[in-house]
Amino acid sequence: MSESSYTIQQIAEQLNIGSFKVKYDTLISTLLIDSRSVISPETSLFFAIQAHRNGHEFISDAYASGIRSFVISDPAYADLYPDANFLLVNDVQQALQQLAAGHRSRFNLDVIAITGSNGKTVVKEWLYQLLAADFNIVRSPKSFNSQLGVPLSVWQISSEHTLGIFEAGISKSDEMTQLAAIIQPATGILTNIREAHAEGFASPKDKLLEKLKLFKDIKLFIYSPDYTTGVAVKDLPGERKFSWSTTVKADLEILFVEPIKGRNYIRARYKDEEIECLIPFSDRASVENGIICWATLLAMGYSPEEADLRLEKLTAVNMRLTLKHGINQCSVIDDSYSADISSLAIALDFLRLQNQHVIRTLILSDLYETGKSDKDLYTEIAGLLKQKQVGRLIGIGEHISAFAGLFELESSFYESTQDFIQNFPAMHFSNETILVKGARRFEFERISKLLTQKIHDTVMEIDLNALANNLKYYKAKLKPGVKVMAMVKAFSYGSGSFEIANLLQYQKVDYLAVAYADEGISLRKAGITMPIMVMSPEPSAFEAIVKHKLEPELYNMDILKSFIDFLPDTQFSYPVHLKIDTGMHRLGFEEPDLPDLLPVLRLEEKIRIVSAFSHLAASEDAQQDEFTAYQLQRYNTMAATIRAELGYDFIRHISNTSAITRHPDAQLDMVRIGIGLYGFDSGIKGNSGLHTVGVLKTTITQIKKVGPLETIGYGRRGSLPGGGTIATVKIGYADGYRRSFGNGVGKMLVDGKAAPTVGSIAMDMCMLDITGIDAKTGDEVIVFNDQLTIGDLAEQIGTIPYEILTNISQRVKRVYFYE
Ligand SMILES: *Cc1c(COP(=O)(O)O)cnc(C)c1O
């Protein structure tokens, strides 16, 4: 057992729970806030955190997965299970923080704390890379920097560690003091202060002062005066201060930054000498993050020569897992960045979330976990694989091979990546989800390349975390108890099928809705088991609908009667949904239809109305609010009539995305979220609070100089009157980049700058005017992202974002990211 084990009694004492009786005697080593990510249930303590949903609701799930110890604040749950420990506190989040702070205090460990608007995670990961040779480092997993993330990070500290690096982020005033008490840092790094996340603070200075509370008791403060304007140096924290700046005098005074071949050469003045370093990245953010790391190394006493040597070897921080289409109907999750146990657990969670294939395979290299014996390490991993339902293991490396006997699943082992690759042609991979996870030195990207299909150079990247965050955003706007139906029709608004549905099922939305039976059937075949409504059920698809337990929307007497006729007489209570037309005039029963409908519903036992719903025609538009109110009122009246006739309750729903925030009184029993999940809501100004989910990228195939008299493209419609440079890119109208974007109407981002189209859009390509932009063949070009949004594109050609998204053709490969 590691030092982070406490008896449940000790925990109760730390939380000042007076009369606690042990019901399940155990040692606690893991703190858990999500009932879905259980690794070792007996030794986990579950915190019923009050977040978007009440954590107490997940106690039964957690109990079912074997957890027997809970921290709760609602006394109603205190005696739920006679064989489980319930620790009753006033505030569950505070209890988590208190335990973590107590744990932290037991270790006399030097800790670096990082805060700021951007760059926290990169600086943390880079410092880890730079210092790992000299220290046994414990650090925040991923970007765990919140009121919950920080305590979970700090809980990992054990006696083997000689340095901690933790990041801290805040979203509102008064949060930092808590984090300071948990982290107890000796060194503080302020990365920068930007307008981003300015919400919640009266002014930028207030934000700075709040962030500085993290550093109240530190010994060393590393910062740039460029970001501390308004605060006198004497009021900055730290017995010792180390400053860096590109504009004013500082301990590390940057003289110039010069890009060379994708890297940046930096010269600076330090202790009256000129020193230099090379940052192996070309973008501006990496230069700043690199300088912060440079300053930190120097402030810690490393020589300029040593610092330069180490900085040059920095590697990209990619915390995201990538899900791609693989060979032979496989799905491949690529995670060859970090290989430690906590990131393995996270990746295995993502693997387990994939239901599209029955077999889940893991290709894993030796792990370099400091401070654990190989035997302990691989025993723990073997337990983890069992817990996460991995079906097959391919171990690569001498260490994991030596412990082959520990793994109780189908497994094979190879000495090296090369050894695996040589044997690859004889191996069999088909219809399975494969997680490729290896330490950097194993170069597993070579394995991923063998397993994945070549990607056509235009891809749509889908950020699954952004989607989950958008869902959270809307859930937070819902009144208690309101259910969520997620609209995944039209290939999830162009974003994917089972990839999106798996996530939504995992996030426990209540319903999915598709347009056609085919879409629902694909989801069932991909292992989606939650309820699915089909909005346009054709009679020819009834058989498939019933076979796959899909729930049809019935919108008029014909379809209602033919569905009832189709059902065998033995059928009882088949779930269906009634569509009511309250003014949209698309599908649905209208008020005059009720006298025909009601007697059928009353007598018919083959079906059961699970929900009756209507659709708003203009919920996003303030000018139509009166009409929206009228639709709601009509719905309520008709729903009440149907309810009275049926004699049982059904789910009532009318809200689409924009109605959720704009018309809270229309939330009823459930809302149907569509475009908002994918990051767009025309009812919210500037989409504020939503995250961009899809990024469409293409590449430059060729670059040409054209003279003033030459023409470009079909019909000779394009020209550059002053002459210039054009780039041909690999996207055309067959990919969904409409012809109407041609002749300068549309723009794409090349090297971050807007480049207008020239001439007509062709089927598979189009041309951009890149005069004055630094670009070369093979460079990436952004069609839309969070800067150039689907809203902007829609405006350019006079349509709506829905159409931009759903137009992206299926031949554009989707790649999924998950953190
Ligand atoms: C598409 C659709 C929605 C979702 O609309 P958004 O504006 O994308 O939220 C809701 N209800 C029905 C019936 C739909 O067809």
Side-chain angles (χ1 to χ4, degrees), residues 299-340:
M300 289 176 72
Y302 285 90
S303 72
E305 296 73 30
E306 183 62 27
D308 179 32
L309 273 179
R310 293 192 182 195
L311 286 163
E312 212 178 306
K313 297 200 197 87
L314 284 178
T315 55
V317 173
N318 186 0
M319 313 291 280
R320 303 196 298 180
L321 302 166
T322 316
L323 175 66
K324 296 178 187 158
H325 291 274
I327 53 168
N328 309 331
Q329 260 83 49
C330 289
S331 302
V332 177
I333 302 171
D334 190 353
D335 184 17
S336 24
Y337 164 68
S338 61
D340 50 64

Side-chain angles (χ1 to χ4, degrees), residues 190-359:
L190 176 73
T191 57
N192 51 46
I193 295 283
R194 300 206 203 286
E195 284 312 304
H197 321 297
E199 321 89 47
F201 295 96
S203 73
K205 188 176 163 193
D206 283 347
K207 190 162 70 168
L208 172 64
L209 291 176
E210 175 68 27
K211 296 210 179 214
L212 291 181
K213 286 186 190 160
L214 177 62
F215 302 139
K216 208 165 49 72
D217 299 318
I218 56 172
K219 297 205 175 64
L220 170 63
F221 182 45
I222 296 156
Y223 73 105
S224 168
D226 304 352
Y227 296 119
T228 54
T229 36
V231 179
V233 176
K234 69 169 176 45
D235 295 332
L236 291 173
E239 290 162 22
R240 188 155 82 83
K241 299 174 183 43
F242 190 100
S243 60
W244 64 271
S245 175
T246 51
T247 54
V248 298
K249 276 216 166 324
D251 295 314
L252 180 66
E253 187 183 339
I254 307 299
L255 302 174
F256 66 84
V257 178
E258 188 179 294
I260 9 174
K261 289 200 201 133
R263 311 201 278 182
N264 271 288
Y265 172 76
I266 310 180
R267 263 191 106 70
R269 199 184 330 273
Y270 169 66
K271 291 189 174 166
D272 296 326
E273 262 179 63
E274 281 201 15
I275 63 169
E276 59 187 12
C277 81
L278 198 61
I279 305 287
F281 295 91
S282 62
D283 63 293
R284 223 182 298 160
S286 294
V287 169
E288 181 171 292
N289 294 331
I291 292 172
I292 294 167
C293 292
W294 195 15
T296 308
L297 289 181
L298 296 171
M300 289 176 72
Y302 285 90
S303 72
E305 296 73 30
E306 183 62 27
D308 179 32
L309 273 179
R310 293 192 182 195
L311 286 163
E312 212 178 306
K313 297 200 197 87
L314 284 178
T315 55
V317 173
N318 186 0
M319 313 291 280
R320 303 196 298 180
L321 302 166
T322 316
L323 175 66
K324 296 178 187 158
H325 291 274
I327 53 168
N328 309 331
Q329 260 83 49
C330 289
S331 302
V332 177
I333 302 171
D334 190 353
D335 184 17
S336 24
Y337 164 68
S338 61
D340 50 64
I341 258 217
S342 69
S343 75
L344 176 64
I346 290 164
L348 288 174
D349 264 335
F350 188 52
L351 177 66
R352 194 175 51 161
L353 191 149
Q354 306 304 318
N355 296 300
Q356 62 270 31
H357 310 295
V358 179
I359 306 173

Side-chain angles (χ1 to χ4, degrees), residues 487 489 493 535 586 613 615 656-657 672-675 802:
M487 309 307 282
K489 62 191 177 190
Y493 290 50
M535 294 193 289
R586 196 169 63 175
F613 70 103
H615 194 36
N656 65 335
T657 294
R672 301 186 304 272
I673 315 183
I675 193 112
Y802 297 73

Side-chain angles (χ1 to χ4, degrees), residues 802-815:
Y802 297 73
E803 196 185 357
I804 300 287
L805 277 181
T806 54
N807 261 343
I808 310 303
S809 83
Q810 299 273 352
R811 87 168 180 197
V812 174
K813 281 279 183 311
R814 270 69 172 175
V815 173

Side-chain angles (χ1 to χ4, degrees), residues 35 116 147 198 292 303 310 338 349 367 400 446 474 516 528 531 610 659 684 710-711 729 767 801 807 816 818:
S35 59
Q147 295 289 310
I292 294 167
S303 72
R310 293 192 182 195
S338 61
D349 264 335
L367 291 198
I400 191 168
R446 294 164 67 199
Y474 285 104
Y516 294 101
I528 302 297
V610 228
I684 300 178
E710 292 178 286
T711 64
V729 296
M767 279 68 89
N807 261 343
Y816 298 84
Y818 190 73

Side-chain angles (χ1 to χ4, degrees), residues 474 485-489 493 513-515 533 535 553 579 584 586 613-616 619-620 653-660 671-678 680-682 802:
Y474 285 104
M485 174 181 267
M487 309 307 282
V488 294
K489 62 191 177 190
Y493 290 50
V514 295
M533 177 174 92
M535 294 193 289
E553 160 189 329
K579 179 69 174 285
M584 173 87 168
R586 196 169 63 175
F613 70 103
S614 188
H615 194 36
L616 297 172
S619 65
E620 71 288 353
H653 49 122
I654 192 168
S655 289
N656 65 335
T657 294
S658 295
I660 296 171
V671 294
R672 301 186 304 272
I673 315 183
I675 193 112
L677 283 178
Y678 311 100
F680 193 88
D681 185 340
S682 44
Y802 297 73

